[in-house]
Each structure stands twice: as C-alpha cells, then as structure tokens.
Amino acid sequence: MRNLNERTITQAVLKSNAGSSDDRLQEVMASLVQHLHAFAREVNLTEKEWQYGIEFLTSVGQICSPTRQEFILLSDTLGLSTLVTAQNHKKPEGCTEATVFGPFHVEGAPHYQLGDDISNGMTGEPWYISGKVLDQNGERIPNARIEVWQADDAGYYDVQSPELAEHQGRGVLQADEQGNYYFKSIVPEAYPIPHDGPVGKMLEALNRHPWRPAHLHFMITAPGYERLVTHVFREGGDYLDSDAVFGVRSSLIADWIRHEEGMIPHGGYSDTPFYTMNFDFILNTEDE
Ligand code: BEZ
Ligand code: FE
C-alpha cells in the first residue's frame, strides 16, 4: 500500500477497513469513506477549505456540554435528523407522525398527576392541553406514559437557565384507563435554536434564520407500541414553512384556541383569558 494517489486512495482505505468482524460497522464505514471521498472530488476541496472544515467541527465539539449539544443542532440544521427520523419511523397510514427529538429533552423530569400544571412557574398565558392515546383501530390505549417538554413565552427551555432550582415546562404524566390525558401549562412561543455558536455562524453564512415554530414536545410510550417522539405545532404560527430544523408535518399542526375568562376545561374558573389544545395520538404496534 504505497504510492497512493487520488484515484487509488479510496480503494486502499476500504481494504484497510475490511478486516472488521462487525459487518454493519464495515458497511457503514465503507459507505461513509466512499461518500466523503466523492464529496472531496466533486467540489475539488482545497486544503484551505478542509482546514476550515476541521476548525469548524472542532469548534462544534468544543462548545458541547451536558446542556449544550451543538452536534445535534448541526445534524438538525443539515436535515440529517429529519432524514434519519423519517426513514426509521415510517408510520402506518393514520398513525401520528414522528419528528425530531431536539437537544432539550432531559432525563429525570418531574412526575405529575393528570390535570396538574407542568409549567411549574414558567411564564406565559395559561394553556389547557388534552386528548387521547389510541391504537390504529381507534381503541383507547390505557395508562400510556406521556412526557412533555416546552419553551416559555420568551422561547427558552428551563435547561437554558442553569440558575433554576427546579425543572419548569416539562413533566411525565400517565394517561388514565380510558387513554385520556390532560394537563395545564403555559403557551410556548416560537424560538431561535441556540445560534451563538458555530452552527449559528453556519446559518448566517447561508443566509438562513435560526427560528422554530411554536410547539410542544411529546414522547409517548405504552407496552406493545412503538415509542412516539413528536411535537404538536400551533396552527397559523410563524415559521411553519421555514423551520430551521425541518421538523414540521401538516398532521402535527393543531388549533391552539384562545378563550375569554370563564369555565376552564378540567373544572374551575379562570378570571384571565386562556388557551386550549386538544390532540389525539395514534400509536402503531411495535412489530409494524
Ligand atoms: C427543539 O425543538 O427543542 C429543537 C429541535 C432541534 C434543534 C433545536 C431545538
Ligand atoms: Fe423544542
């Protein structure tokens, strides 16, 4: 393996990697190497450009921390997250579609009872969310685990404020025996993905904005059904057609209805205006 040149280098690398006993690793690496080399050839990559690329990837790594995941942002803004999500969750007709996970989910969210206020002091207008968890035949799935997370009315997640002593705007609930879920929160607003780092610079250089349309994240699990990771977006909201991370699906847009003061959906009275949203989730079984 000497005297390699621009024509022979690709095969040489593939041959070097061929000794792995892990077939899948070999398949993925062979494709990655071929596509990377093809890319460099196609654009006639200069040394200066590749040096810039190395510096960019280095800075993406350097800004990462337990609460700042720049590589997820890079994957999201390049559409890779949406591609991988779409090809791994081809839902049967009628089932709720999945969308990107994003970097703001954390383990250990507080547990709440149905009807509780998961905003836990987050600022924003009152919002009552309800719906059902169903199977493909329209039958109710009992006791699903429902985890939600969201931004506040200024577009920030709790994890972006390290001084907070408790989680806000996220929680775990259990649907009842009839598949019903309901809880209170505050209306989240559209927000820019973190853009003070290398991914933000990349978007700026490409003349792209960093905004995501207003949404609420859901992760729903029930024994025997495929885990659903998705969002529900606000009908009529900004950026639905230019989401910075390509996550919007028409089937995931719902009306967030404004009400004047009056009776609230889960009982009681609100002396300020409030919003409601109703959304049913349809899960597919694990083997589909
Ligand atoms: C989110 O919706 O939380 C999100 C998704 C992708 C990138 C940044 C944020
Ligand atoms: Fe989000």
Side-chain angles (χ1 to χ4, degrees):
M1 219 197 318
R2 291 187 185 179
N3 309 320
L4 296 166
N5 59 34
E6 66 182 279
R7 275 184 305 101
T8 55
I9 179 67
T10 305
Q11 279 311 316
V13 179
L14 294 179
K15 207 168 150 202
S16 284
N17 289 350
S20 167
S21 55
D22 182 334
D23 290 348
R24 178 62 179 161
L25 176 67
Q26 234 191 79
E27 182 188 357
V28 170
M29 287 303 295
S31 179
L32 181 66
V33 166
Q34 288 176 95
H35 280 89
L36 275 175
H37 288 205
F39 153 74
R41 289 190 180 97
E42 187 177 313
V43 301
N44 232 330
L45 197 65
T46 67
E47 286 178 300
K48 202 169 154 201
E49 286 163 344
W50 183 221
Q51 180 61 30
Y52 186 88
I54 297 275
E55 284 164 13
F56 174 77
L57 290 173
T58 303
S59 62
V60 169
Q62 282 169 339
I63 201 174
C64 285
S65 76
T67 53
R68 174 72 186 251
Q69 238 305 352
E70 197 77 0
F71 272 110
I72 296 184
L73 292 182
L74 183 59
S75 163
D76 293 340
T77 51
L78 293 179
L80 188 58
S81 303
T82 286
L83 170 59
V84 174
T85 300
Q87 68 185 5
N88 282 282
H89 300 281
K90 297 187 185 103
K91 302 282 182 185
E93 184 74 23
C95 289
T96 306
E97 294 183 275
T99 190
V100 290
F101 198 78
F104 293 127
H105 173 266
V106 293
E107 295 298 333
H111 286 243
Y112 290 101
Q113 301 297 315
L114 291 175
D116 282 352
D117 182 353
I118 66 111
S119 69
N120 196 22
M122 210 173 213
T123 59
E125 294 181 274
W127 193 29
Y128 295 88
I129 302 104
S130 60
K132 297 186 278 298
V133 184
L134 304 169
D135 70 13
Q136 274 177 273
N137 303 317
E139 301 292 334
R140 291 156 182 260
I141 300 173
N143 307 129
R145 181 187 190 275
I146 300 179
E147 182 161 359
V148 293
W149 63 104
Q150 66 165 94
D152 65 12
D153 61 351
Y156 289 105
Y157 285 80
D158 57 355
V159 289
Q160 293 172 288
S161 306
E163 73 283 359
L164 285 175
E166 287 184 353
H167 281 307
Q168 294 185 331
R170 66 179 70 240
V172 178
L173 301 126
Q174 194 179 30
D176 69 16
E177 278 289 313
Q178 284 74 46
N180 300 304
Y181 73 88
Y182 48 98
F183 58 96
K184 183 184 179 198
S185 190
I186 54 93
V187 176
E189 289 298 335
Y191 62 85
I193 63 167
H195 58 112
D196 55 345
V199 169
K201 274 205 196 108
M202 178 190 80
L203 293 181
E204 206 178 308
L206 294 169
N207 204 16
R208 283 173 56 181
H209 72 69
W211 288 83
R212 296 218 64 207
H215 60 272
L216 171 60
H217 293 257
F218 282 85
M219 176 156 68
I220 304 184
T221 48
Y225 294 88
E226 188 191 2
R227 183 180 82 162
L228 174 67
V229 175
T230 195
H231 317 344
V232 181
F233 297 91
R234 179 177 190 164
E235 179 64 89
D238 293 332
Y239 311 112
L240 284 169
D241 290 309
S242 64
D243 181 6
V245 305
F246 309 100
V248 179
R249 296 176 175 277
S250 303
S251 66
L252 301 177
I253 301 173
D255 289 324
W256 300 10
I257 301 167
R258 187 176 185 278
H259 305 262
E260 293 305 333
E261 65 170 271
M263 297 305 290
I264 54 178
H266 323 140
Y269 186 86
S270 173
D271 52 15
T272 58
F274 61 93
Y275 284 78
T276 56
M277 180 187 86
N278 188 268
F279 197 88
D280 292 346
F281 294 95
I282 302 176
L283 307 187
N284 53 297
T285 50
E286 230 153 24
D287 45 25
E288 278 161 313

